[in-house]
Amino acid sequence: MQGVVDGIEQSLVGLSVATDSLLLAVREGLVNAIRHGCAGDPDLQVSVGLTAATGGEVTVRIQDPGPGFVPGACPDPTGPEERWRSHGRGLFLMRHLADQVQYAFPSDGGSVLTLTFKPASSAWRSNEGDPMPMPITTRTSNGVTIIDVSGNLDAVTAPMFQGVADEAVAGRATNLVVNLAQTRLLDSSGAGALMSVCKRVRSVQGDMYLSGATAGQVSGVLKLLGMDKTFKNFGTADEAVQAFQGAGSSATR
């Protein structure tokens, strides 16, 4: 999947579309096509095409062999109850990132997703830095477990993050800080993993704070999905640790 996204990014050089928004929407479309359209079957194929019009409009077409679904039946993932689900955010993100989202279901089978993007003067920007493998490290400060996430927290890396966090909770860590200061990109799968871990921590009378996600793409996704209402989000991990200690600190929520 990453190779496809990289190829599309190269095709966007010189165009005035919101590149970060487009690439995230394409990721969401690809993940849905692989998970649902192909049901994870490696023998099934997903086709992707990109068209750039003279006026700067870009269209991305993603086709999978799946049986299709009813787009209007997907619940709003920002609702008080739905926000705690580990999945179901992809279509919502695509609808907010693209200027137009259309699904077609040909009579001979399959699903065709068409994403349209108009020229944009501004967009979310990923955190500075080149893409990198996602190292996840844990450390302890004043009895609080800090999980540092670098790179992308997406469909590929979210299970790794969740495994590390679950291991920490199994080791009786009840106060967690997820430090996203070096996280370059957050997608719906990463968001779902954050909610799942938080739900587990709170089930054992603990809590989970975020740090470093106060601006840029990661902050934008959190706000769009309504997750800024769920988490206290501090400027630094140290500030989050101080809040657990009752020292007080400023946080966004």
Side-chain angles (χ1 to χ4, degrees), residues 168-230:
V169 176
R172 300 187 181 280
T174 55
N175 290 335
L176 296 184
V177 174
V178 180
N179 182 25
L180 302 173
Q182 297 301 317
T183 304
R184 187 172 185 272
L185 178 142
L186 177 70
D187 74 356
S188 64
S189 297
L194 289 173
M195 295 302 295
S196 293
V197 172
C198 182
K199 186 175 183 179
R200 182 175 179 189
V201 172
R202 291 183 181 178
S203 73
V204 294
Q205 288 71 54
D207 207 349
M208 178 175 127
Y209 295 165
L210 304 182
S211 66
T214 56
Q217 191 269 352
V218 175
S219 174
V221 170
L222 291 173
K223 291 178 180 178
L224 183 58
L225 293 175
M227 292 170 61
D228 57 327
K229 301 179 180 67
T230 301

Side-chain angles (χ1 to χ4, degrees), residues 7-112:
I8 290 176
E9 184 172 17
Q10 293 175 5
S11 300
L12 298 177
V13 174
L15 300 178
S16 58
V17 292
T19 303
D20 287 331
S21 296
L22 185 151
L23 293 177
L24 180 55
V26 169
R27 282 176 179 270
E28 298 295 344
L30 286 172
V31 168
N32 281 350
I34 294 169
R35 283 184 179 171
H36 305 297
C38 297
D41 188 339
D43 293 328
L44 298 179
Q45 293 186 340
V46 174
S47 64
V48 182
L50 181 147
T51 303
T54 304
E57 186 174 277
V58 173
T59 300
V60 179
R61 184 175 182 272
I62 301 173
Q63 183 169 6
D64 66 65
F69 68 108
V70 180
C74 297
D76 180 354
T78 65
E81 298 298 328
E82 288 77 9
R83 197 158 60 231
W84 290 101
R85 298 175 65 192
S86 62
H87 59 280
R89 298 173 175 84
L91 180 56
F92 178 87
L93 278 179
M94 285 189 285
R95 284 172 170 164
H96 283 76
L97 295 169
D99 291 289
Q100 188 174 50
V101 177
Q102 292 180 309
Y103 271 98
F105 306 102
S107 58
D108 57 349
S111 301
V112 179

Side-chain angles (χ1 to χ4, degrees), residues 7-8 36-37 53 80 109-110 121 142 146-147 168 188 195 200 217 233 239 250:
I8 290 176
H36 305 297
S121 57
N142 293 326
I146 303 171
I147 303 177
S188 64
M195 295 302 295
R200 182 175 179 189
Q217 191 269 352
N233 185 7
E239 290 176 355
S250 59

